[in-house]
Amino acid sequence: GDSVTQMEGPVTLSEEAFLTINCTYTATGYPSLFWYVQYPGEGLQLLLKATKADDKGSNKGFEATYRKETTSFHLEKGSVQVSDSAVYFCALSDTSGTYKYIFGTGTRLKVLA
Amino acid sequence: IAGITQAPTSQILAAGRRMTLRCTQDMRHNAMYWYRQDLGLGLRLIHYSNTAGTTGKGEVPDGYSVSRANTDDFPLTLASAVPSQTSVYFCASSEFLGDQPQHFGDGTRLSIL
């Protein structure tokens, strides 16, 4: 079945460091891909999305490119801030109109000042 | 502010008791979802609803029931709580089922003793 695999956390970085959080997926069709962010005590918020191969989603300095050849959707940011400390979830959704929406297990990011 | 409201924020419950978690959205979204979030397992779908009057089972539906009497409300009921249902529960909605960004509430932290 469909699945999403994220790198294990926690990831600890100094402020202004470069961030990469790896995400790979398996899917039988052509899913849409998402990154969500969860701040402490809150629900998940959509960070960015991509709906087809080679699409690049971007928001708040974060980027991710839908790579069909490597089945990946890695999250990157050039210069992280303390306020980026959160848990990041990669997710895929089935595009055939079903309820299928698969989340990864989440990667905790901690940014130190 | 438009969004999803969940209640209660947290609850401690004795095993065997009945409990209903409330969820209300004001975005007029057709689809709604209930997830549980457990450490190391990410988010797992419990039940979903495509539109008012219809519901479906997700990945982990046993021990839970839902109803969708109208567009805005999607309560989750634990008929007889067990300790393995200790978790953080998130309600979410999207404009339509499947390939859509989901909007999340802030969660209900439930402890079953």
Side-chain angles (χ1 to χ4, degrees):
Chain A
D2 295 356
S3 67
V4 172
T5 302
Q6 285 183 240
M7 61 188 291
E8 293 267 342
V11 174
T12 303
L13 296 173
S14 298
E15 205 165 25
E16 299 184 4
F18 186 87
L19 168 71
T20 300
I21 299 178
N22 291 337
C23 171
T24 57
Y25 68 92
T26 58
T28 52
Y30 301 94
S32 292
L33 300 173
F34 305 84
W35 276 102
Y36 285 83
V37 58
Q38 183 180 31
Y39 298 104
E42 298 183 8
L44 280 69
Q45 303 173 26
L46 178 69
L47 183 59
L48 53 85
K49 70 176 282 190
T51 58
K52 61 183 187 298
D54 299 325
D55 263 5
K56 178 185 282 189
S58 61
N59 186 26
K60 299 181 181 178
F62 291 90
E63 292 184 340
T65 301
Y66 190 142
R67 301 283 189 202
K68 190 167 180 295
E69 64 277 13
T70 55
T71 62
S72 65
F73 193 54
H74 304 323
L75 182 69
E76 297 181 336
K77 187 176 186 183
S79 176
V80 293
Q81 306 300 312
V82 171
S83 57
D84 294 327
S85 299
V87 181
Y88 294 81
F89 291 89
C90 186
L92 68 81
S93 73
D94 182 87
T95 55
S96 64
T98 73
Y99 68 85
K100 272 193 197 176
Y101 210 103
I102 309 296
F103 287 90
T105 54
T107 302
R108 182 174 299 277
L109 170 66
K110 186 172 182 180
V111 181
L112 305 176
Chain B
I1 298 176
I4 292 189
T5 302
Q6 290 186 238
T9 303
S10 65
Q11 182 77 42
I12 299 173
L13 190 68
R17 298 296 295 269
R18 180 183 179 90
M19 176 74 190
T20 295
L21 308 185
R22 300 185 298 279
C23 175
T24 300
Q25 55 111 352
D26 61 3
M27 296 172 283
R28 308 302 293 173
H29 283 172
N30 289 286
M32 298 188 75
Y33 314 82
W34 273 106
Y35 294 90
R36 57 178 291 173
Q37 183 178 29
D38 301 290
L39 197 63
L41 297 176
L43 277 81
R44 293 180 291 168
L45 183 67
I46 303 170
H47 285 287
Y48 68 96
S49 169
N50 189 15
T51 187
T54 68
T55 62
K57 294 182 180 180
E59 184 184 354
V60 288
D62 294 343
Y64 305 94
S65 63
V66 292
S67 61
R68 187 91 183 275
N70 56 60
T71 297
D72 298 341
D73 300 302
F74 191 44
L76 175 74
T77 297
L78 289 68
S80 179
V82 295
S84 62
Q85 292 177 311
T86 294
S87 187
V88 181
Y89 291 86
F90 287 98
C91 180
S93 72
S94 61
E95 190 173 357
F96 300 103
L97 193 69
D99 185 31
Q100 297 280 324
Q102 294 190 4
H103 300 256
F104 285 78
D106 286 339
T108 294
R109 184 175 296 276
L110 187 61
S111 297
I112 313 296
L113 305 178

